[in-house]
Amino acid sequence: MYGLYDRDGVLRFVNSDKEACLDYAKLFELNSEHYCLMNLIASIDIENNINLDLNQEENNN
């Protein structure tokens, strides 16, 4: 799975095909200075970086 992020870090497009992401950038005339393409699966370390316990801390409000 690939994600195309704009220069502000906003995810603009997600697709399983790298070429589809690059085609999206081309369609909207984004040059490589205005986006970055990331392999989302390779950048996720499920075992160490994702915490599914949403109630870790008490709410003091």
Side-chain angles (χ1 to χ4, degrees):
M1 186 68 62
Y2 292 90
L4 183 81
Y5 291 84
D6 68 15
R7 67 178 172 193
D8 295 321
V10 176
L11 180 61
R12 300 279 298 264
F13 187 77
V14 175
N15 196 294
S16 60
D17 181 21
K18 178 180 175 181
E19 294 303 317
C21 289
L22 295 174
D23 288 344
Y24 178 92
K26 184 177 178 181
L27 176 67
F28 288 98
E29 299 178 349
L30 300 172
N31 63 40
S32 61
E33 294 176 2
H34 293 107
Y35 71 85
C36 75
L37 181 64
M38 291 183 64
N39 184 332
L40 298 177
I41 300 299
S43 65
I44 297 174
D45 181 355
I46 294 174
E47 195 172 306
N48 295 317
N49 291 328
I50 297 177
N51 188 340
L52 298 178
D53 184 5
L54 300 176
N55 297 316
Q56 252 184 339
E57 298 179 25
E58 287 185 27
N59 187 347
N60 293 326
N61 294 333

Short mmCIF file of all heavy atoms in Angstrom, two decimals:
data_model
loop_
_atom_site.label_atom_id
_atom_site.label_comp_id
_atom_site.label_asym_id
_atom_site.label_seq_id
_atom_site.Cartn_x
_atom_site.Cartn_y
_atom_site.Cartn_z
N MET A 1 0.85 -1.17 0.00
CA MET A 1 0.00 0.00 0.00
C MET A 1 0.89 1.23 0.00
O MET A 1 1.82 1.34 0.80
CB MET A 1 -0.89 -0.01 1.24
CG MET A 1 -1.90 1.08 1.28
SD MET A 1 -3.21 0.96 0.04
CE MET A 1 -3.98 -0.56 0.46
N TYR A 2 0.61 2.15 -0.90
CA TYR A 2 1.40 3.37 -1.03
C TYR A 2 0.53 4.57 -0.70
O TYR A 2 -0.67 4.58 -0.96
CB TYR A 2 1.95 3.52 -2.45
CG TYR A 2 2.98 2.49 -2.78
CD1 TYR A 2 2.60 1.28 -3.34
CD2 TYR A 2 4.32 2.72 -2.52
CE1 TYR A 2 3.55 0.31 -3.64
CE2 TYR A 2 5.27 1.76 -2.81
CZ TYR A 2 4.88 0.56 -3.37
OH TYR A 2 5.82 -0.40 -3.65
N GLY A 3 1.15 5.58 -0.12
CA GLY A 3 0.47 6.82 0.18
C GLY A 3 1.23 7.99 -0.41
O GLY A 3 2.45 8.04 -0.37
N LEU A 4 0.50 8.93 -0.98
CA LEU A 4 1.08 10.13 -1.55
C LEU A 4 0.73 11.29 -0.63
O LEU A 4 -0.45 11.59 -0.43
CB LEU A 4 0.51 10.36 -2.95
CG LEU A 4 1.09 11.54 -3.70
CD1 LEU A 4 2.43 11.12 -4.32
CD2 LEU A 4 0.14 12.00 -4.79
N TYR A 5 1.75 11.91 -0.06
CA TYR A 5 1.57 13.02 0.86
C TYR A 5 1.98 14.32 0.19
O TYR A 5 2.98 14.36 -0.51
CB TYR A 5 2.43 12.83 2.11
CG TYR A 5 1.97 11.70 2.99
CD1 TYR A 5 2.36 10.40 2.73
CD2 TYR A 5 1.14 11.94 4.08
CE1 TYR A 5 1.93 9.36 3.54
CE2 TYR A 5 0.72 10.91 4.89
CZ TYR A 5 1.11 9.62 4.62
OH TYR A 5 0.70 8.58 5.41
N ASP A 6 1.23 15.39 0.45
CA ASP A 6 1.65 16.68 -0.10
C ASP A 6 2.74 17.28 0.79
O ASP A 6 3.10 16.71 1.82
CB ASP A 6 0.47 17.63 -0.30
CG ASP A 6 -0.18 18.10 0.99
OD1 ASP A 6 0.42 17.94 2.07
OD2 ASP A 6 -1.30 18.64 0.91
N ARG A 7 3.27 18.41 0.39
CA ARG A 7 4.40 18.99 1.13
C ARG A 7 4.01 19.45 2.53
O ARG A 7 4.88 19.70 3.36
CB ARG A 7 5.03 20.13 0.34
CG ARG A 7 4.14 21.33 0.17
CD ARG A 7 4.86 22.41 -0.56
NE ARG A 7 3.93 23.48 -0.90
CZ ARG A 7 4.19 24.43 -1.74
NH1 ARG A 7 5.34 24.45 -2.35
NH2 ARG A 7 3.32 25.35 -1.98
N ASP A 8 2.71 19.56 2.81
CA ASP A 8 2.25 19.91 4.15
C ASP A 8 2.01 18.68 5.02
O ASP A 8 1.59 18.78 6.16
CB ASP A 8 0.96 20.73 4.07
CG ASP A 8 1.19 22.07 3.40
OD1 ASP A 8 2.25 22.69 3.65
OD2 ASP A 8 0.31 22.50 2.63
N GLY A 9 2.26 17.50 4.46
CA GLY A 9 2.10 16.26 5.21
C GLY A 9 0.70 15.69 5.20
O GLY A 9 0.39 14.78 5.95
N VAL A 10 -0.16 16.22 4.34
CA VAL A 10 -1.54 15.73 4.24
C VAL A 10 -1.57 14.56 3.26
O VAL A 10 -1.06 14.66 2.14
CB VAL A 10 -2.49 16.85 3.78
CG1 VAL A 10 -3.90 16.32 3.57
CG2 VAL A 10 -2.47 18.00 4.77
N LEU A 11 -2.19 13.47 3.67
CA LEU A 11 -2.32 12.31 2.80
C LEU A 11 -3.30 12.64 1.69
O LEU A 11 -4.46 12.92 1.93
CB LEU A 11 -2.80 11.10 3.60
CG LEU A 11 -2.99 9.80 2.84
CD1 LEU A 11 -1.67 9.32 2.23
CD2 LEU A 11 -3.56 8.73 3.75
N ARG A 12 -2.83 12.62 0.45
CA ARG A 12 -3.65 13.00 -0.69
C ARG A 12 -4.24 11.80 -1.42
O ARG A 12 -5.32 11.89 -2.01
CB ARG A 12 -2.81 13.79 -1.69
CG ARG A 12 -2.21 15.07 -1.18
CD ARG A 12 -3.19 16.21 -1.19
NE ARG A 12 -3.66 16.55 -2.49
CZ ARG A 12 -3.18 17.49 -3.27
NH1 ARG A 12 -2.16 18.21 -2.89
NH2 ARG A 12 -3.71 17.73 -4.44
N PHE A 13 -3.54 10.66 -1.41
CA PHE A 13 -3.99 9.52 -2.21
C PHE A 13 -3.38 8.24 -1.65
O PHE A 13 -2.22 8.24 -1.24
CB PHE A 13 -3.54 9.71 -3.66
CG PHE A 13 -4.08 8.69 -4.62
CD1 PHE A 13 -5.38 8.74 -5.07
CD2 PHE A 13 -3.27 7.67 -5.08
CE1 PHE A 13 -5.87 7.80 -5.97
CE2 PHE A 13 -3.75 6.71 -5.97
CZ PHE A 13 -5.06 6.79 -6.42
N VAL A 14 -4.16 7.16 -1.61
CA VAL A 14 -3.68 5.85 -1.17
C VAL A 14 -4.09 4.82 -2.21
O VAL A 14 -5.22 4.85 -2.71
CB VAL A 14 -4.30 5.47 0.19
CG1 VAL A 14 -3.89 4.07 0.58
CG2 VAL A 14 -3.91 6.45 1.27
N ASN A 15 -3.15 3.92 -2.55
CA ASN A 15 -3.46 2.88 -3.51
C ASN A 15 -2.44 1.76 -3.32
O ASN A 15 -1.34 1.99 -2.84
CB ASN A 15 -3.39 3.42 -4.94
CG ASN A 15 -4.05 2.50 -5.93
OD1 ASN A 15 -3.61 1.40 -6.17
ND2 ASN A 15 -5.13 2.99 -6.53
N SER A 16 -2.81 0.57 -3.69
CA SER A 16 -1.87 -0.56 -3.58
C SER A 16 -0.83 -0.54 -4.68
O SER A 16 0.18 -1.23 -4.61
CB SER A 16 -2.63 -1.89 -3.60
OG SER A 16 -3.34 -2.01 -4.81
N ASP A 17 -1.03 0.28 -5.69
CA ASP A 17 -0.13 0.34 -6.83
C ASP A 17 0.67 1.65 -6.81
O ASP A 17 0.10 2.75 -6.82
CB ASP A 17 -0.95 0.24 -8.11
CG ASP A 17 -0.11 0.28 -9.37
OD1 ASP A 17 1.10 -0.02 -9.30
OD2 ASP A 17 -0.68 0.59 -10.43
N LYS A 18 1.98 1.54 -6.78
CA LYS A 18 2.86 2.71 -6.76
C LYS A 18 2.62 3.61 -7.97
O LYS A 18 2.57 4.83 -7.85
CB LYS A 18 4.31 2.24 -6.72
CG LYS A 18 5.33 3.33 -6.74
CD LYS A 18 6.73 2.74 -6.70
CE LYS A 18 7.78 3.80 -6.83
NZ LYS A 18 9.14 3.24 -6.81
N GLU A 19 2.46 2.99 -9.13
CA GLU A 19 2.26 3.76 -10.36
C GLU A 19 0.96 4.57 -10.32
O GLU A 19 0.90 5.67 -10.87
CB GLU A 19 2.29 2.84 -11.58
CG GLU A 19 3.65 2.21 -11.83
CD GLU A 19 4.76 3.24 -12.00
OE1 GLU A 19 4.55 4.26 -12.70
OE2 GLU A 19 5.83 3.02 -11.42
N ALA A 20 -0.07 4.06 -9.66
CA ALA A 20 -1.33 4.79 -9.55
C ALA A 20 -1.13 6.08 -8.75
O ALA A 20 -1.70 7.12 -9.07
CB ALA A 20 -2.40 3.93 -8.92
N CYS A 21 -0.31 6.00 -7.71
CA CYS A 21 -0.02 7.20 -6.92
C CYS A 21 0.74 8.22 -7.75
O CYS A 21 0.45 9.42 -7.69
CB CYS A 21 0.79 6.83 -5.68
SG CYS A 21 -0.15 5.95 -4.42
N LEU A 22 1.70 7.76 -8.53
CA LEU A 22 2.45 8.68 -9.38
C LEU A 22 1.57 9.26 -10.48
O LEU A 22 1.70 10.43 -10.84
CB LEU A 22 3.66 7.95 -9.97
CG LEU A 22 4.70 7.50 -8.94
CD1 LEU A 22 5.79 6.67 -9.60
CD2 LEU A 22 5.28 8.68 -8.19
N ASP A 23 0.63 8.46 -10.99
CA ASP A 23 -0.33 8.97 -11.98
C ASP A 23 -1.22 10.05 -11.37
O ASP A 23 -1.56 11.03 -12.04
CB ASP A 23 -1.18 7.84 -12.54
CG ASP A 23 -0.42 6.92 -13.47
OD1 ASP A 23 0.68 7.30 -13.94
OD2 ASP A 23 -0.91 5.80 -13.71
N TYR A 24 -1.60 9.88 -10.12
CA TYR A 24 -2.40 10.88 -9.41
C TYR A 24 -1.63 12.19 -9.33
O TYR A 24 -2.17 13.26 -9.61
CB TYR A 24 -2.76 10.38 -8.01
CG TYR A 24 -3.54 11.37 -7.19
CD1 TYR A 24 -4.92 11.36 -7.19
CD2 TYR A 24 -2.89 12.30 -6.39
CE1 TYR A 24 -5.65 12.26 -6.44
CE2 TYR A 24 -3.60 13.21 -5.63
CZ TYR A 24 -4.98 13.19 -5.65
OH TYR A 24 -5.68 14.09 -4.90
N ALA A 25 -0.36 12.10 -8.95
CA ALA A 25 0.47 13.29 -8.86
C ALA A 25 0.57 13.98 -10.21
O ALA A 25 0.48 15.21 -10.31
CB ALA A 25 1.85 12.93 -8.33
N LYS A 26 0.74 13.20 -11.26
CA LYS A 26 0.85 13.74 -12.61
C LYS A 26 -0.47 14.40 -13.03
O LYS A 26 -0.48 15.49 -13.61
CB LYS A 26 1.22 12.63 -13.58
CG LYS A 26 1.45 13.10 -14.99
CD LYS A 26 1.89 11.95 -15.87
CE LYS A 26 2.08 12.41 -17.31
NZ LYS A 26 2.48 11.30 -18.18
N LEU A 27 -1.60 13.75 -12.71
CA LEU A 27 -2.92 14.28 -13.06
C LEU A 27 -3.14 15.66 -12.47
O LEU A 27 -3.67 16.56 -13.11
CB LEU A 27 -4.02 13.32 -12.59
CG LEU A 27 -5.45 13.77 -12.80
CD1 LEU A 27 -5.78 13.81 -14.29
CD2 LEU A 27 -6.41 12.85 -12.06
N PHE A 28 -2.71 15.85 -11.22
CA PHE A 28 -2.90 17.13 -10.55
C PHE A 28 -1.67 18.02 -10.63
O PHE A 28 -1.54 19.00 -9.89
CB PHE A 28 -3.33 16.90 -9.10
CG PHE A 28 -4.74 16.39 -9.02
CD1 PHE A 28 -4.99 15.03 -8.87
CD2 PHE A 28 -5.82 17.25 -9.13
CE1 PHE A 28 -6.28 14.55 -8.80
CE2 PHE A 28 -7.12 16.78 -9.07
CZ PHE A 28 -7.35 15.42 -8.91
N GLU A 29 -0.77 17.66 -11.56
CA GLU A 29 0.41 18.46 -11.86
C GLU A 29 1.26 18.75 -10.62
O GLU A 29 1.77 19.85 -10.43
CB GLU A 29 0.02 19.75 -12.58
CG GLU A 29 -0.67 19.47 -13.90
CD GLU A 29 -1.12 20.73 -14.62
OE1 GLU A 29 -1.09 21.83 -14.03
OE2 GLU A 29 -1.52 20.60 -15.79
N LEU A 30 1.39 17.74 -9.75
CA LEU A 30 2.28 17.84 -8.60
C LEU A 30 3.65 17.36 -9.02
O LEU A 30 3.80 16.27 -9.56
CB LEU A 30 1.77 16.96 -7.45
CG LEU A 30 0.38 17.27 -6.90
CD1 LEU A 30 -0.03 16.18 -5.91
CD2 LEU A 30 0.35 18.63 -6.25
N ASN A 31 4.67 18.18 -8.81
CA ASN A 31 6.01 17.70 -9.13
C ASN A 31 6.64 17.11 -7.87
O ASN A 31 6.11 17.25 -6.77
CB ASN A 31 6.87 18.79 -9.77
CG ASN A 31 7.11 19.96 -8.84
OD1 ASN A 31 7.33 19.77 -7.65
ND2 ASN A 31 7.08 21.16 -9.38
N SER A 32 7.76 16.46 -8.02
CA SER A 32 8.35 15.71 -6.91
C SER A 32 8.80 16.61 -5.76
O SER A 32 9.05 16.12 -4.66
CB SER A 32 9.51 14.86 -7.39
OG SER A 32 10.52 15.69 -7.94
N GLU A 33 8.86 17.91 -5.96
CA GLU A 33 9.17 18.83 -4.86
C GLU A 33 7.95 19.07 -3.98
O GLU A 33 8.08 19.59 -2.87
CB GLU A 33 9.67 20.17 -5.43
CG GLU A 33 10.99 20.06 -6.15
CD GLU A 33 11.41 21.38 -6.76
OE1 GLU A 33 10.70 22.38 -6.60
OE2 GLU A 33 12.45 21.39 -7.43
N HIS A 34 6.76 18.71 -4.46
CA HIS A 34 5.53 19.01 -3.74
C HIS A 34 4.86 17.77 -3.14
O HIS A 34 3.78 17.88 -2.58
CB HIS A 34 4.54 19.73 -4.66
CG HIS A 34 5.02 21.09 -5.03
ND1 HIS A 34 5.49 21.39 -6.28
CD2 HIS A 34 5.14 22.23 -4.31
CE1 HIS A 34 5.86 22.65 -6.33
NE2 HIS A 34 5.66 23.18 -5.14
N TYR A 35 5.47 16.61 -3.27
CA TYR A 35 4.89 15.42 -2.67
C TYR A 35 5.98 14.43 -2.29
O TYR A 35 7.12 14.53 -2.73
CB TYR A 35 3.89 14.74 -3.62
CG TYR A 35 4.52 14.05 -4.82
CD1 TYR A 35 5.01 12.76 -4.72
CD2 TYR A 35 4.61 14.69 -6.04
CE1 TYR A 35 5.58 12.12 -5.81
CE2 TYR A 35 5.17 14.06 -7.14
CZ TYR A 35 5.66 12.78 -7.01
OH TYR A 35 6.22 12.15 -8.08
N CYS A 36 5.60 13.50 -1.43
CA CYS A 36 6.47 12.35 -1.16
C CYS A 36 5.61 11.10 -1.22
O CYS A 36 4.43 11.11 -0.88
CB CYS A 36 7.20 12.49 0.17
SG CYS A 36 6.21 12.20 1.62
N LEU A 37 6.20 10.04 -1.72
CA LEU A 37 5.53 8.76 -1.87
C LEU A 37 6.10 7.81 -0.84
O LEU A 37 7.31 7.66 -0.74
CB LEU A 37 5.76 8.23 -3.28
CG LEU A 37 5.11 6.90 -3.64
CD1 LEU A 37 3.59 7.02 -3.59
CD2 LEU A 37 5.57 6.45 -5.00
N MET A 38 5.24 7.21 -0.03
CA MET A 38 5.70 6.30 1.01
C MET A 38 5.05 4.94 0.88
O MET A 38 3.86 4.84 0.56
CB MET A 38 5.35 6.86 2.39
CG MET A 38 6.11 8.09 2.77
SD MET A 38 5.72 8.63 4.43
CE MET A 38 6.32 7.26 5.38
N ASN A 39 5.82 3.90 1.13
CA ASN A 39 5.29 2.55 1.23
C ASN A 39 4.72 2.44 2.64
O ASN A 39 5.46 2.35 3.61
CB ASN A 39 6.39 1.53 0.99
CG ASN A 39 5.88 0.12 0.98
OD1 ASN A 39 4.89 -0.21 1.62
ND2 ASN A 39 6.57 -0.74 0.27
N LEU A 40 3.39 2.50 2.76
CA LEU A 40 2.76 2.56 4.08
C LEU A 40 2.92 1.26 4.86
O LEU A 40 3.11 1.29 6.07
CB LEU A 40 1.27 2.90 3.93
CG LEU A 40 0.98 4.25 3.30
CD1 LEU A 40 -0.52 4.44 3.15
CD2 LEU A 40 1.59 5.38 4.11
N ILE A 41 2.87 0.13 4.20
CA ILE A 41 3.00 -1.15 4.89
C ILE A 41 4.40 -1.29 5.49
O ILE A 41 4.56 -1.69 6.63
CB ILE A 41 2.69 -2.32 3.95
CG1 ILE A 41 1.26 -2.21 3.43
CG2 ILE A 41 2.92 -3.66 4.64
CD1 ILE A 41 0.18 -2.25 4.48
N ALA A 42 5.41 -0.92 4.73
CA ALA A 42 6.79 -1.05 5.21
C ALA A 42 7.09 -0.07 6.33
O ALA A 42 7.96 -0.32 7.15
CB ALA A 42 7.77 -0.83 4.06
N SER A 43 6.35 1.04 6.41
CA SER A 43 6.64 2.04 7.42
C SER A 43 5.88 1.81 8.72
O SER A 43 6.06 2.54 9.67
CB SER A 43 6.33 3.45 6.88
OG SER A 43 4.95 3.58 6.65
N ILE A 44 5.02 0.79 8.77
CA ILE A 44 4.26 0.48 9.99
C ILE A 44 4.88 -0.71 10.70
O ILE A 44 5.04 -1.77 10.13
CB ILE A 44 2.79 0.16 9.66
CG1 ILE A 44 2.11 1.38 9.05
CG2 ILE A 44 2.04 -0.30 10.90
CD1 ILE A 44 0.71 1.11 8.56
N ASP A 45 5.24 -0.51 11.94
CA ASP A 45 5.77 -1.58 12.77
C ASP A 45 4.68 -1.90 13.80
O ASP A 45 4.61 -1.30 14.86
CB ASP A 45 7.06 -1.15 13.45
CG ASP A 45 7.66 -2.25 14.30
OD1 ASP A 45 7.04 -3.31 14.44
OD2 ASP A 45 8.77 -2.03 14.83
N ILE A 46 3.79 -2.82 13.45
CA ILE A 46 2.62 -3.11 14.26
C ILE A 46 3.01 -3.53 15.67
O ILE A 46 2.42 -3.10 16.65
CB ILE A 46 1.74 -4.18 13.59
CG1 ILE A 46 1.16 -3.62 12.31
CG2 ILE A 46 0.64 -4.67 14.52
CD1 ILE A 46 0.40 -4.63 11.48
N GLU A 47 4.01 -4.34 15.79
CA GLU A 47 4.39 -4.88 17.08
C GLU A 47 4.88 -3.81 18.05
O GLU A 47 4.61 -3.86 19.24
CB GLU A 47 5.48 -5.93 16.89
CG GLU A 47 5.70 -6.80 18.11
CD GLU A 47 6.64 -7.94 17.78
OE1 GLU A 47 6.38 -8.66 16.81
OE2 GLU A 47 7.64 -8.06 18.48
N ASN A 48 5.58 -2.79 17.54
CA ASN A 48 6.21 -1.82 18.43
C ASN A 48 5.61 -0.42 18.40
O ASN A 48 5.83 0.35 19.33
CB ASN A 48 7.70 -1.71 18.09
CG ASN A 48 8.42 -3.01 18.37
OD1 ASN A 48 8.20 -3.64 19.39
ND2 ASN A 48 9.28 -3.41 17.45
N ASN A 49 4.87 -0.06 17.37
CA ASN A 49 4.45 1.33 17.23
C ASN A 49 2.95 1.58 17.34
O ASN A 49 2.55 2.72 17.42
CB ASN A 49 4.94 1.91 15.90
CG ASN A 49 6.44 2.07 15.89
OD1 ASN A 49 7.04 2.32 16.93
ND2 ASN A 49 7.04 1.90 14.75
N ILE A 50 2.14 0.58 17.29
CA ILE A 50 0.70 0.79 17.37
C ILE A 50 0.20 0.27 18.71
O ILE A 50 0.40 -0.88 19.05
CB ILE A 50 -0.05 0.10 16.22
CG1 ILE A 50 0.37 0.72 14.89
CG2 ILE A 50 -1.56 0.21 16.40
CD1 ILE A 50 -0.25 0.06 13.69
N ASN A 51 -0.43 1.15 19.46
CA ASN A 51 -0.97 0.77 20.75
C ASN A 51 -2.49 0.79 20.65
O ASN A 51 -3.09 1.84 20.44
CB ASN A 51 -0.49 1.75 21.83
CG ASN A 51 -0.87 1.29 23.21
OD1 ASN A 51 -1.77 0.48 23.38
ND2 ASN A 51 -0.19 1.82 24.20
N LEU A 52 -3.11 -0.35 20.80
CA LEU A 52 -4.56 -0.45 20.65
C LEU A 52 -5.32 -0.19 21.94
O LEU A 52 -6.54 -0.16 21.94
CB LEU A 52 -4.92 -1.84 20.10
CG LEU A 52 -4.35 -2.15 18.73
CD1 LEU A 52 -4.72 -3.57 18.32
CD2 LEU A 52 -4.81 -1.15 17.69
N ASP A 53 -4.61 0.04 23.05
CA ASP A 53 -5.26 0.33 24.32
C ASP A 53 -5.58 1.81 24.39
O ASP A 53 -4.73 2.64 24.68
CB ASP A 53 -4.36 -0.08 25.49
CG ASP A 53 -5.04 0.12 26.83
OD1 ASP A 53 -6.24 0.48 26.85
OD2 ASP A 53 -4.37 -0.08 27.86
N LEU A 54 -6.82 2.17 24.09
CA LEU A 54 -7.21 3.57 24.03
C LEU A 54 -7.43 4.17 25.41
O LEU A 54 -7.58 5.37 25.55
CB LEU A 54 -8.47 3.73 23.18
CG LEU A 54 -8.34 3.25 21.74
CD1 LEU A 54 -9.68 3.38 21.03
CD2 LEU A 54 -7.28 4.04 21.02
N ASN A 55 -7.48 3.36 26.44
CA ASN A 55 -7.74 3.85 27.79
C ASN A 55 -6.49 3.80 28.66
O ASN A 55 -6.55 3.47 29.82
CB ASN A 55 -8.86 3.02 28.44
CG ASN A 55 -10.15 3.17 27.68
OD1 ASN A 55 -10.51 4.27 27.30
ND2 ASN A 55 -10.83 2.07 27.44
N GLN A 56 -5.36 4.18 28.12
CA GLN A 56 -4.11 4.11 28.84
C GLN A 56 -4.05 5.09 29.99
O GLN A 56 -3.52 4.76 31.04
CB GLN A 56 -2.94 4.41 27.90
CG GLN A 56 -2.13 3.21 27.57
CD GLN A 56 -0.95 3.60 26.73
OE1 GLN A 56 -0.91 4.64 26.09
NE2 GLN A 56 0.03 2.75 26.73
N GLU A 57 -4.53 6.29 29.80
CA GLU A 57 -4.46 7.32 30.83
C GLU A 57 -5.85 7.74 31.24
O GLU A 57 -6.78 7.69 30.47
CB GLU A 57 -3.70 8.53 30.29
CG GLU A 57 -2.27 8.23 29.90
CD GLU A 57 -1.58 9.45 29.35
OE1 GLU A 57 -2.00 10.57 29.69
OE2 GLU A 57 -0.62 9.28 28.60
N GLU A 58 -5.96 8.16 32.48
CA GLU A 58 -7.24 8.66 32.95
C GLU A 58 -7.47 10.07 32.43
O GLU A 58 -6.54 10.85 32.28
CB GLU A 58 -7.26 8.71 34.49
CG GLU A 58 -7.37 7.35 35.13
CD GLU A 58 -7.49 7.46 36.63
OE1 GLU A 58 -8.00 8.49 37.10
OE2 GLU A 58 -7.08 6.52 37.32
N ASN A 59 -8.70 10.42 32.20
CA ASN A 59 -9.06 11.76 31.80
C ASN A 59 -9.27 12.56 33.05
O ASN A 59 -10.14 12.27 33.86
CB ASN A 59 -10.32 11.73 30.94
CG ASN A 59 -10.65 13.08 30.36
OD1 ASN A 59 -10.10 14.09 30.77
ND2 ASN A 59 -11.55 13.08 29.40
N ASN A 60 -8.51 13.65 33.24
CA ASN A 60 -8.59 14.47 34.44
C ASN A 60 -9.56 15.64 34.30
O ASN A 60 -9.60 16.50 35.15
CB ASN A 60 -7.20 14.99 34.81
CG ASN A 60 -6.29 13.86 35.25
OD1 ASN A 60 -6.75 12.91 35.86
ND2 ASN A 60 -5.01 13.98 34.93
N ASN A 61 -10.33 15.68 33.23
CA ASN A 61 -11.26 16.79 33.02
C ASN A 61 -12.56 16.55 33.73
O ASN A 61 -13.26 15.70 33.72
CB ASN A 61 -11.51 17.04 31.54
CG ASN A 61 -10.25 17.54 30.87
OD1 ASN A 61 -9.40 18.15 31.53
ND2 ASN A 61 -10.11 17.27 29.59
#
